[in-house]
């Protein structure tokens, strides 16, 4: 009998409509996917469709689905799941950038085949390849990502791209690829620290889980420390771990997570924007 | 909350700001029913914004009136921090001067946001008029200025005509992305409901080349 693949992570994620989308009958424009591969390696992707694009909900769905295939292929072809170390920064950035450009071209083809403009499918993308050794991440646009080390210290995975306006960002579909300065828009990082947990989220949840607009006494102005809020993430991860230890099924945990994203507290409940968050916690001895 | 539910504390973050400048015609032609309806609409607008928890924390309202003279009667402020004024009508129509004051206000307020590190949205400038600008008003000059600034995404501009407004002038002033609208009757209540909803959309969706605002059929029609 084939040996069952042992899981080393418990991961939960969901995308729920924000209040404004519910009120105005706008579809959820966020999408997400996650999948554990082997030896504790896995991939999480979040995409947030542009509010100003008519079919961005379809764009974000396409991006997470095809993005998952592309990044799984990278992990497999490079035999990372059996490697003792993570790739170098330069190598990862080149691979990530090439894959994201390929994904953009696939989206352009999809747009053409479905008689749409590419911009109508505009979506951001955030990718985290998690492993027992560390995390590889890449992204275009806004949203937040974070991870915690074994001491329970939370750190950001990347810096969201924000324009002059609070709701202004760039997308996979934006005119950034021909630019000689494309590296300003595609950020990739190798985190060489063993992770205890990680998160990816669309910007609809950033104000509720990250410190992103706080007062700097010295400079006497507001700034964005891009700091995952420990009092948010540590209880959430502890809850996830306990649910798994209490032998709740993945579906039961996902149901709890969906409820939390919909109405976890008053602020989350009243959030107008769509809300997506993926949380993963590492179980070095396996999840069952 | 039941056991085995997810629990979390949320951080205190400073809210982003969305500046909305109302440039209102209070010239003599607004005397009577029009100014009364406008005042009622403003009160309704205040109530609607106050009822929207997010908008009430993000929306900064500034009110500029123009008749023979221009006055900024309400500096940019959150809805909870001021009493909506009761407007009185009388005098001529220095419409362009009112718009110039609004453009200047957009620039100074954005500089203030930048200096203090406050995140902000693209401002709205809403002009409501029922008349003809005074003869000395440089409509062509300000319309060119508005075109360039809206192209540069400095702000969104919505010219709204009421009753006998000269729609040719409003068409000249407007940017191609937001053609002038004619208020149906004195439907200020519906207009301000739309404005409140629009502010919600702007402050809750990502910036793009196109602005998808709520349906305007409840209060107006595009001037042809």
């Amino acid at each position: 009998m084939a040996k069952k693949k042992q899981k080393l992570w418990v991961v939960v994620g969901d995308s729920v409509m924000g209040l404004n989308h519910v009120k105005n009958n706008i579809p959820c424009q966020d999408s997400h996917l996650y999948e554990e591969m082997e030896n504790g390696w896995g991939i999480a992707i979040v995409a947030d469709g542009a509010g100003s694009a008519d079919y961005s909900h379809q764009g974000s769905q396409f991006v997470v689905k095809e993005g998952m295939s592309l990044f799984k292929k990278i992990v497999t072809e490079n035999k990372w799941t059996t490697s003792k170390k993570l790739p170098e920064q330069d190598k990862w950035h080149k691979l990530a950038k090439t894959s994201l450009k390929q994904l953009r071209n696939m989206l352009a083809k999809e747009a053409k085949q479905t008689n749409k403009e590419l911009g109508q499918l505009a979506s951001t993308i955030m990718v985290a390849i998690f492993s027992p050794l560390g995390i590889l991440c890449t992204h275009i646009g806004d949203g937040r990502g974070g991870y915690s080390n074994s001491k329970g210290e939370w750190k950001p995975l990347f810096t969201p791209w924000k324009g002059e306006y609070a709701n202004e960002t760039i997308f996979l579909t934006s005119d950034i690829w021909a630019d000689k300065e494309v590296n300003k828009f595609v950020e990739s990082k190798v985190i060489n620290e063993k992770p205890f947990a990680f998160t990816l989220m669309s910007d609809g949840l950033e104000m509720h889980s990250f410190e992103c607009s706080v007062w700097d006494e010295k400079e006497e102005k507001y700034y964005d420390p891009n700091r995952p809020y420990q009092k948010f993430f540590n209880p959430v991860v502890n809850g996830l771990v306990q649910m798994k230890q209490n032998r709740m099924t993945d579906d039961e945990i996902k149901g709890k997570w969906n409820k939390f994203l919909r109405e976890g507290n008053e602020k989350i409940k009243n959030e107008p924007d769509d809300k997506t968050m993926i949380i993963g916690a590492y179980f070095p001895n396996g999840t069952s | 909350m039941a056991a085995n539910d997810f629990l979390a504390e949320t951080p205190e973050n400073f809210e982003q700001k969305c500046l909305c400048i109302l440039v209102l015609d209070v010239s003599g032609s607004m005397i009577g029913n029009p100014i009364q309806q406008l005042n009622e609409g403003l009160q309704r607008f205040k109530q609607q914004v106050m009822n929207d928890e997010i908008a009430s924390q993000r929306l900064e309202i500034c009110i500029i009136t123009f008749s023979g003279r221009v006055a900024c009667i309400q500096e940019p402020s959150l809805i909870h921090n001021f009493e909506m004024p009761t407007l009185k009508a009388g005098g001529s129509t220095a419409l362009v001067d009112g718009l110039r004051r609004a453009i200047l206000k957009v620039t100074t307020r954005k500089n203030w946001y930048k200096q203090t590190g406050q995140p902000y949205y693209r401002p709205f400038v809403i002009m409501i008029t029922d008349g003809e600008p005074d003869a000395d008003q440089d409509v062509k000059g300000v319309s060119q200025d508005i075109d360039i600034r809206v192209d540069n995404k400095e702000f969104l501009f919505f010219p709204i005509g009421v009753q006998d407004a000269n729609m040719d002038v409003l068409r000249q002033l407007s940017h191609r992305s937001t053609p002038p609208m004619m208020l149906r009757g004195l439907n200020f209540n519906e207009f301000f409901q739309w404005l409140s909803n629009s502010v919600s959309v702007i402050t809750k969706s990502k910036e793009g080349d196109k602005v998808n605002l709520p349906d305007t059929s409840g209060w107006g029609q595009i001037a042809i």
Side-chain angles (χ1 to χ4, degrees):
Chain A
M1 204 167 91
K3 193 179 165 188
K4 194 182 168 189
K5 198 165 66 179
Q6 190 186 36
K7 288 196 169 182
L8 301 183
W9 291 83
V10 54
V11 186
V12 67
D14 213 343
S15 298
V16 303
M17 285 169 83
L19 211 55
N20 197 46
H21 288 237
V22 175
K23 278 184 189 168
N24 293 300
N25 207 19
I26 304 166
C28 180
Q29 291 160 335
D30 283 1
S31 297
H32 72 282
L33 264 185
Y34 50 89
E35 187 176 326
E36 190 169 342
M37 297 171 72
E38 57 178 3
N39 297 330
W41 281 72
I43 298 173
I45 305 183
V46 169
D48 181 351
S52 55
D54 298 334
Y55 298 98
S56 67
H57 56 295
Q58 292 173 13
S60 71
Q61 287 162 14
F62 184 94
V63 162
V64 297
K65 183 171 171 278
E66 300 303 330
M68 179 60 79
S69 301
L70 285 173
F71 283 98
K72 269 171 78 176
K73 197 171 160 206
I74 290 179
V75 173
T76 307
E77 283 180 350
N78 287 280
K79 299 186 171 70
W80 284 341
T81 59
T82 52
S83 172
K84 297 272 189 269
K85 62 174 189 168
L86 296 177
E88 297 294 326
Q89 169 68 33
D90 280 358
K91 180 179 179 179
W92 165 237
H93 181 58
K94 278 180 192 156
L95 282 169
K97 198 165 59 175
T98 305
S99 299
L100 291 174
K101 189 168 183 186
Q102 193 180 342
L103 187 57
R104 180 255 174 227
N105 293 341
M106 289 163 72
L107 194 59
K109 200 173 162 188
E110 171 74 7
K112 203 172 176 185
Q113 282 173 354
T114 53
N115 294 319
K116 295 183 182 86
E117 297 289 326
L118 178 58
Q120 290 180 299
L121 298 171
S123 172
T124 66
I125 181 168
M126 290 153 261
V127 181
I129 300 181
F130 50 94
S131 81
L133 305 174
I135 296 175
L136 310 173
C137 63
T138 188
H139 83 106
I140 294 174
D142 59 9
R144 307 266 170 171
Y147 73 99
S148 75
N149 57 23
S150 55
K151 294 176 197 158
E153 295 166 335
W154 280 85
K155 300 174 186 179
L157 277 177
F158 52 79
T159 307
W161 196 98
K162 302 258 186 189
E164 178 188 359
Y165 299 125
N167 55 343
E168 188 178 19
T169 191
I170 45 135
F171 304 98
L172 184 68
T173 49
S174 299
D175 190 16
I176 55 173
W177 299 101
D179 195 334
K180 284 179 187 166
E181 296 186 341
V182 63
N183 291 336
K184 277 187 185 172
F185 304 108
V186 180
E187 183 190 6
S188 316
K189 257 193 207 170
V190 176
I191 309 285
N192 267 305
E193 187 173 24
K194 289 182 178 175
F196 172 72
F198 74 89
T199 184
L200 280 185
M201 77 193 72
S202 60
D203 66 334
L205 284 165
E206 67 182 16
M207 293 284 272
H208 313 301
S209 62
F210 266 64
E211 288 177 289
C212 35
S213 184
V214 299
W215 181 249
D216 183 330
E217 293 281 349
K218 200 173 156 194
E219 297 292 327
E220 295 191 328
K221 63 191 287 191
Y222 292 95
Y223 78 114
D224 179 357
N226 191 24
R227 199 159 47 219
Y229 194 54
Q230 314 239 7
K231 289 179 182 175
F232 179 94
F233 287 107
N234 283 336
V236 162
V237 170
N238 288 341
L240 180 62
V241 169
Q242 274 177 19
M243 287 178 201
K244 196 69 192 171
Q245 285 169 343
N246 291 344
R247 300 194 175 277
M248 283 175 73
T249 66
D250 288 351
D251 282 348
E252 285 170 331
I253 294 174
K254 184 149 182 170
K256 297 275 184 191
W257 188 241
N258 176 278
K259 187 180 170 200
F260 177 73
L261 295 187
R262 279 188 290 112
E263 53 188 44
N265 60 40
E266 279 304 301
K267 284 183 177 171
I268 291 175
K269 191 176 166 182
N270 291 325
E271 171 57 46
D273 201 0
D274 291 335
K275 300 168 278 189
T276 292
M277 188 181 287
I278 298 175
I279 291 273
Y282 184 48
F283 276 63
N285 298 319
T287 59
S288 56
Chain B
M1 196 171 269
N4 265 337
D5 273 341
F6 286 102
L7 296 167
E9 278 184 45
T10 50
E12 286 298 323
N13 278 308
F14 186 76
E15 280 288 354
Q16 299 104 323
K17 294 291 175 279
C18 181
L19 176 62
C20 175
I21 302 182
L22 299 172
V23 190
L24 306 176
D25 185 343
V26 292
S27 63
S29 54
M30 290 286 285
I31 290 174
N33 206 18
I35 201 76
Q36 191 187 331
Q37 297 288 330
L38 178 57
N39 279 323
E40 284 176 17
L42 287 171
Q43 291 298 337
R44 174 78 72 93
F45 179 53
K46 177 173 170 124
Q47 208 51 51
Q48 282 155 356
V49 175
M50 284 176 77
N51 290 342
D52 183 331
E53 195 182 324
I54 303 274
S56 67
Q57 290 169 25
R58 293 182 180 175
L59 185 63
E60 287 196 324
I61 294 160
C62 168
I63 301 175
I64 292 170
T65 56
F66 61 89
S67 53
R69 57 182 286 272
V70 172
C72 181
I73 60 168
Q74 178 58 57
E75 289 294 332
S77 182
L78 292 175
I79 200 84
H80 291 286
N81 296 341
F82 71 95
E83 287 299 321
M84 194 58 88
T86 301
L87 307 177
K88 287 184 183 146
S92 63
T93 312
L95 181 150
V96 172
D97 296 347
L99 285 175
R100 291 268 181 222
R101 179 74 71 89
I103 292 169
L104 186 63
K105 192 61 76 180
V106 166
T107 306
T108 52
R109 197 62 183 172
K110 279 167 80 166
N111 284 340
W112 161 251
Y113 293 145
K114 284 176 197 162
Q115 280 165 18
T116 51
Q118 299 182 63
Y120 58 96
Y121 296 94
R122 188 159 24 155
F124 276 62
V125 176
I126 315 271
M127 184 191 65
I128 299 177
T129 180
D130 78 331
E132 183 90 27
D134 294 344
D136 64 347
Q137 297 286 295
D138 179 14
V139 173
K140 189 178 173 193
V142 81
S143 84
Q144 286 169 345
D145 197 15
I146 288 171
D147 245 15
I148 293 167
R149 290 173 187 270
V150 174
D151 275 344
N152 290 339
K153 295 188 174 181
E154 285 184 35
F155 55 85
L156 290 161
F157 178 57
F158 298 91
I160 314 294
V162 182
Q163 289 188 334
D164 300 324
N166 182 337
M167 294 313 282
D168 287 336
V169 169
L170 291 197
R171 253 188 299 277
Q172 192 181 348
L173 286 169
S174 70
H175 185 265
R176 63 189 171 284
S177 62
T178 49
M181 298 289 292
M182 189 75 190
L183 195 70
R184 193 171 288 136
L186 291 169
N187 230 338
F188 283 110
N189 279 342
E190 281 73 10
F191 167 73
F192 280 110
Q193 173 74 57
W194 171 86
L195 180 57
S196 162
N197 292 343
S198 300
V199 169
S200 277
V201 169
I202 287 289
T203 59
K204 294 156 190 172
S205 62
K206 288 204 200 305
E207 274 273 331
D209 293 333
K210 202 172 89 183
V211 183
N212 284 333
L213 292 177
D215 180 24
T216 55
S217 59
W219 58 268
Q221 57 200 38
I222 294 174
I224 300 168

